[in-house]
Amino acid sequence: MTTTIFSNCHLFDGVSEDIRGGMNIAIENGEIKEVSEQTIAIAGAHTHDCGGRFLMPGLLDLHFHAYSASF
């Protein structure tokens, strides 16, 4: 089980219109397990201080413009 904690980040969650500052996020085996304004402590977790930078879930833009037969 691999756990990563991102601390001290501004969070854009893709749902709310607000960007929340000072957030902490725990990711376990590729899935978000906890989002909190409080410090998250999990034994053995890899911790990354985001230094107030932005964090957002992966957003995929899978569209294309099919206007040319040469593609």
Side-chain angles (χ1 to χ4, degrees):
M1 173 170 54
T2 302
T3 303
T4 303
I5 298 172
F6 294 97
S7 62
N8 186 27
C9 64
H10 282 82
L11 176 64
F12 171 72
D13 62 15
V15 177
S16 172
E17 292 182 13
D18 298 326
I19 295 175
R20 298 165 28 195
M23 299 303 293
N24 303 287
I25 296 94
I27 311 288
E28 184 178 294
N29 295 324
E31 293 185 16
I32 298 171
K33 290 297 179 181
E34 184 176 353
V35 177
S36 177
E37 292 179 351
Q38 305 301 317
T39 300
I40 300 171
I42 299 173
H46 301 276
T47 303
H48 300 280
D49 183 352
C50 294
R53 293 178 182 89
F54 284 87
L55 186 70
M56 64 182 190
L59 301 175
L60 301 175
D61 182 0
L62 301 176
H63 85 279
F64 71 99
H65 298 269
Y67 57 84
S68 175
S70 64
F71 283 27

